[in-house]
Amino acid sequence: MTTKRILVVDNEAKMRRILELSLKAMGHEVAQAADGQEALGMIDAGAFDLVLTDLRMPRLDGIGLLTALRDADNDVPVIVMTAYGTIETAVAAMKVGAADYIIRPFEMETIEMAVTRALTMQVVQRENRFLKEEVSRGWGDFIGTSAPMQALYDLLRQAAPARSSIFIVGETGTGKELVARAVHVASGRRGLFVPINCAAIPAELLESELFGHVKGAFTGAVRDRIGKCELASGGTLFLDEITEMPAPLQAKLLRVLQEGVIEKVGGNAATPVDLRVVAATNRDPQQSVDAGVLRRDLYFRLNVVRVDVPLLRDRRGDIPLLVDYFVHKYALELSRPAPTLSPEALAVLEAYPWPGNVRELENLVERAMVLCRGDTITVDHLPAELAPSRTVAVSVPPSPTSPPVDTDDLALRPHIDELERRLIVQALEKAGQNKSAAARLLEISERALWYKIKRHGLS
Ligand SMILES: Nc1ncnc2c1ncn2[C@@H]1O[C@H](COP(=O)(O)OP(=O)(O)OP(=O)(O)O)[C@@H](O)[C@H]1O
Ligand SMILES: [Mg+2]
């Protein structure tokens, strides 16, 4: 965890000192206040990431401090400390918005855990708020404010409420499934959104998937089964990769759409269905028709409203918004603060042709977030093939030039210890003696680093 600013509020100087020391050992900056009144004077908006306060103090007590903060719309997390036997007060503090409470006497470990948890929760809440904010980043679940996306939103708003079939065309990763779901949501149809991927299901099973089967219809049909069409009745059936559907089945599907009834495989009763169909393909549908892969009559039936999903390279202006959105999405998933993107890295992303469209961008941001341990995503966190001209900077840790190993002494332990000590010294130097940064460089926890520093007598 990066360095945070923590305010310790307690009327006992000794207690403040102990807390300060242990929080500093965790790598945080610590300030002290002797009571609620003094604390209030120090807390401007954003001045501290966390407040750790005693409950019983002269002038302004912990509850008073907490109430004053919340009244001032300051949502800094507050952990209250209370003596055993006054647990009711702690509960009262939780009710007015404390993040957590700790009962005295406590082990330092308890404080450390509570602090870490409160800080993590704060990141999570902040990211959640970001993702939910109704700023103009797009429409529904879509991100993008470019002209091609605006045109898409307009078309969807118009076409969704009607029952007409919609045919979505777009390269892989452009968001075809997102479009299909948006159509369903905006249609106001009360039934389910039921996707079926015609490419993912073996041809011989597809018919029973779509229409269901009766018991004994074929080997393995041990009981009646309801199909996707029936499931989607009253809702929306999404036929993904429609060109992969075998031609005979395309004919049957067309009949279902025309007549509004299905027949289960092996059965002879007709069940009425109320379907709204949305189909999608990443191929050119006219070519598929000409090649005899997609039946012309089915195509006409499905292609009432055609929706072309813009390619990412045709709406590069949306790339910063998308990156920002995915960075926050993965920050939330990883419970960490959202890193920013260096201008060079953004320039690389804006120049790339994006054959895999938004999905490729999303995967790339996720990968960069895993590689980036600091607070800035740089070109080094992007795959080398994105910027072919760039000389690939391989970051090899400076090899600690060891003295020649005394070959008479091959005991592993002391040599490893020595190497560990040197790497720690180097990491601390590189991190300007900041322990949390050094721990990140060493890829160990701050706690582990703390123990190792003590063990090697480095503090
Ligand atoms: N405009 C957008 N805003 C936010 N996320 C998007 C957008 N477009 C696509 N995505 C995301 O990109 C990923 C791929 O989208 P989706 O699965 O809808 O693509 P697709 O066109 O169906 O791809 P394929 O042809 O490979 O099936 C999903 O995680 C989706 O949420
Ligand atoms: Mg898809």
Side-chain angles (χ1 to χ4, degrees), residues 44-67:
D44 291 327
F48 294 97
D49 300 298
L50 180 76
V51 175
L52 191 59
T53 183
D54 191 11
L55 273 178
R56 290 174 62 174
M57 294 176 294
R59 297 210 291 170
L60 186 62
D61 67 6
I63 303 265
L65 171 62
L66 196 52
T67 313

Side-chain angles (χ1 to χ4, degrees), residues 194-273:
V194 181
I196 177 163
N197 187 327
C198 305
I201 296 165
E204 64 277 13
L205 291 184
L206 199 52
E207 182 174 357
S208 121
E209 275 295 309
L210 271 173
F211 308 130
H213 60 244
V214 297
K215 183 177 167 184
F218 47 86
T219 334
V222 289
R223 63 177 76 86
D224 282 12
R225 189 164 192 272
I226 195 177
K228 302 268 181 183
C229 286
E230 215 175 323
L231 211 57
S233 188
T236 306
L237 180 68
F238 175 43
L239 298 164
D240 203 359
E241 312 225 25
I242 183 74
T243 58
E244 307 306 304
M245 185 183 284
L249 196 54
Q250 290 185 26
K252 277 190 190 159
L253 175 67
L254 178 62
R255 232 175 11 254
V256 166
L257 297 183
Q258 280 165 345
E259 290 161 20
V261 291
I262 54 155
E263 254 174 52
K264 288 194 164 108
V265 176
N268 47 23
T271 314
V273 284

